[in-house]
């Protein structure tokens, strides 16, 4: 029997491990099973090249709870260790970075995330244990070894009677960690961290119907049939899927395989994904994975943290900011890369060169997939546009390379249900919607019902009106105006239609300058100045007499600040409206011709209420009063 001190220059490292990593103490199981997996895969490699003269077989890792003895066992059938290797790998290598760790983190009081980073993976066991044992037998023809440590720098190492190849770790669970003796808790952790580990993990047994048993059916004397009960057999309860879809080649998978894997990832998600993107690259970094586009809502915050990050099929986190481009954090699925460290800080990830390349690759891959989907089945792509547009628009805003590629598949739908790419839209409207200053004016609506009359006025001129209603569309229009040449976006209710797209032709007003002054004075006496700015315009006589508009710039800046951006302070500005009055309208002429002030005011207020009603601004008691007045007039 050998006794000694672990090769570490500090008096007692274990309380420090517990202190610094306590907030993340559940990861001990992930680390120990990862080690067991590594040991098993190493044996597989050695047998494949003929260096290990043993049968690899069909090994598994077993996790067992001994609640009465307050022990947790992790058993593998991997490469094992000799006594000499235990000395080397457990007593020395594991603590090679201990001094650096202490110097860097002993005064920080923070979870440093150093498990694995300093080779301390095995020692995470001491976060939950009073004592840890290792019973191990190497694949080489040498005696087994039994290592014991009680959480001090002292250890014992003696021969063991173990005859089977592999390693068993026995954790004597501490009083403050007895949750890890509960079957439900261990199953939760195995499912969270080890659901897709490449080696089968046994956790208990389960009963299933015997596949080789065929129940017999017999008839009694009355002809009534009776079928004997199905024979049950007990089998290992394998808790993981060692061969998840992302580890396979896309050519080996059908559409149903991808959907099935989605259901495995998100068992509580009942809606099918719209489509998937299979990632598979081995240069200049290794990365595999599957990303899914789910149906989107307009709430950007509820969508995030659904992508799971793995390292060699070991779960790391579902917070992938810094690895996946921001706009794609709304997607779902899995990314697996051995080039991303298991435990590193966010700032490290954002500065890491490999991670930046991964982020760029994912952006390009998603853009290419969207383009191919658009090209292969445009009709289907258009049908899904409302469910995916928020991701694409967000990407166009946040990633310049994606913005450039998106010209090929980003769609601009009209109120009539026609979908254009930008190039198609430009070619469609440039002849009719270019103003006298040679600027292309792209008209849009955000609410078909509220802006119906304005849409109809634009369509009467032969203009196309887009329907752009996502919460970030104001930002996107701003970007398009700054990158595309000589264009502007105007919402149809930003002004009357002749002002939105000004042509060279000028209309003659029926009113003299004196009558215009008289009308303006009258209107300002009746119309509250804090709500509306009066704007006299010469329009077609058939056009609406009163029209309420919102200035494009002010409204857009206000919308942009509400979703992050725009001009500072604009978000708190009150809504501003213009009252556009058609000086050629018959009703306006009637208002001027009316002799009594009271009737003039009534006509003005009725016209204003009709304009507010068409804009959806007449609500509550004001709407009730308007309906009552209209009813009285009809009577």
């Amino acid at each position: 029997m050998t006794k000694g001190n672990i090769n570490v220059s500090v008096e007692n490292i274990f309380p420090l491990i517990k202190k610094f990593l306590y907030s993340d103490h559940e990861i001990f199981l992930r680390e120990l099973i990862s080690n067991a997996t590594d040991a098993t895969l190493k044996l597989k490699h050695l047998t494949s090249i003929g260096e290990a003269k043993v049968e690899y077989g069909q090994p598994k890792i077993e996790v067992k709870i001994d609640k009465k003895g307050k022990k947790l066992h992790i058993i593998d059938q991997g490469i094992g260790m000799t006594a000499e290797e235990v000395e080397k790998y457990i007593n020395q290598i594991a603590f090679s970075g201990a001094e650096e760790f202490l110097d860097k983190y002993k005064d920080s009081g923070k979870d440093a995330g150093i498990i694995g980073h300093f080779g301390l993976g095995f020692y995470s066991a001491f976060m939950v244990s009073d004592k840890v044992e290792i019973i191990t037998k190497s694949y080489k023809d040498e005696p087994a070894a039994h290592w014991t440590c009680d959480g001090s720098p002292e250890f014992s190492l003696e021969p063991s009677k173990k005859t089977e190849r592999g390693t068993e770790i026995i954790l004597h669970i501490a009083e403050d960690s007895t949750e890890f003796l509960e079957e439900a808790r261990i199953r939760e952790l195995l499912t969270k961290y080890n659901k897709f580990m490449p080696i089968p993990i046994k956790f208990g047994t389960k009963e299933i119907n015997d596949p080789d048993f065929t129940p017999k059916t017999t008839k009694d004397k009355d002809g009534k049939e009776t079928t004997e009960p199905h024979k049950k057999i007990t089998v290992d309860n394998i808790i993981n899927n060692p061969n998840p879809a992302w580890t396979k080649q896309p050519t080996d998978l059908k559409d149903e395989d991808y959907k099935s894997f989605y259901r495995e990832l998100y068992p509580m998600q009942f809606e099918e994904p719209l489509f998937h993107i299979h990632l598979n690259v081995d240069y200049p970094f290794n990365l595999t994975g599957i990303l899914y586009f789910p149906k989107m809502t307009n709430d950007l915050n509820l969508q995030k943290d659904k992508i799971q990050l793995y390292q060699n099929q070991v779960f790391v986190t579902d917070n992938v900011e810094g690895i996946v481009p921001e706009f794609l954090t709304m997607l779902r699925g899995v990314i697996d890369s051995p080039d991303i460290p298991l435990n590193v800080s966010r700032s490290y990830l954002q500065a890491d060169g490999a991670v930046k390349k991964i982020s760029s690759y994912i952006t390009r891959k998603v853009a290419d997939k969207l383009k191919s989907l658009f090209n292969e089945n445009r009709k289907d792509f258009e049908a899904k546009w409302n469910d995916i547009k928020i991701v694409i628009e967000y990407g166009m805003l946040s990633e310049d390379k994606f913005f450039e590629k998106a010209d090929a598949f980003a769609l601009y739908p009209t109120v009539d249900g026609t979908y254009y790419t930008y190039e198609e839209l430009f070619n469609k409207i440039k002849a009719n919607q270019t103003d006298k200053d040679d600027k292309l004016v792209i008209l849009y609506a955000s609410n078909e019902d509220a802006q119906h009359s304005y849409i109809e006025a634009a369509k009467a001129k032969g203009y196309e009106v887009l329907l752009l209603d996502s919460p970030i569309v104001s930002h996107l229009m701003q970007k398009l105006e700054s990158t595309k040449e000589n264009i502007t976006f105007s919402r149809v209710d930003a002004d009357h239609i002749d002002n939105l797209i000004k042509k060279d032709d000028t209309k003659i007003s029926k009113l003299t300058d004196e009558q215009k002054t008289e009308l303006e004075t009258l209107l300002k006496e009746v119309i509250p100045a804090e709500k509306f700015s009066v704007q006299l315009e010469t329009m077609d006589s058939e056009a609406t007499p009163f029209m309420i508009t919102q200035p494009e710039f002010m409204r857009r800046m206000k919308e942009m600040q509400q979703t992050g951006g725009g001009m500072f302070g604009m978000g708190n500005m009150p809504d501003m409206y213009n009252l556009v009055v058609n000086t050629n309208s018959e009703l306006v002429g009637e208002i001027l011709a009316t002799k009594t002030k009271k009737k003039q005011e009534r006509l003005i207020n009725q016209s204003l209420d009709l304009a507010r009603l068409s804009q959806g601004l007449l609500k509550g008691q004001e709407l009730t009063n308007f309906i009552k007045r209209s009813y009285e007039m009809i009577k």
Side-chain angles (χ1 to χ4, degrees), residues 25 144 373 410 551 631:
H25 62 311
L373 287 167
Y631 179 68

Side-chain angles (χ1 to χ4, degrees), residues 336-375:
D336 190 333
S337 175
D339 293 329
I340 299 173
L342 271 178
N343 293 276
V344 288
S345 67
R346 181 75 47 77
S347 59
Y348 175 91
L349 281 177
Q350 289 170 345
D352 185 70
V355 170
K356 285 181 179 177
K357 287 176 185 174
I358 287 170
S359 180
S360 296
Y361 165 79
I362 293 171
T363 299
R364 187 176 73 252
K365 188 75 173 178
V366 169
D368 291 345
K369 177 69 173 184
L370 289 167
K371 183 180 178 181
S372 70
L373 287 167
F374 175 77
N375 291 338

Side-chain angles (χ1 to χ4, degrees), residues 64 146 170 252 280 302 351 355 392 416 434 495 502 504 547 632:
K64 291 197 302 188
H146 185 178
I170 305 171
D252 297 334
N280 194 345
L302 292 179
V355 170
I392 294 172
D416 295 322
T434 301
D495 208 330
K502 287 188 174 181
D504 287 326
M547 177 187 290
E632 291 298 326

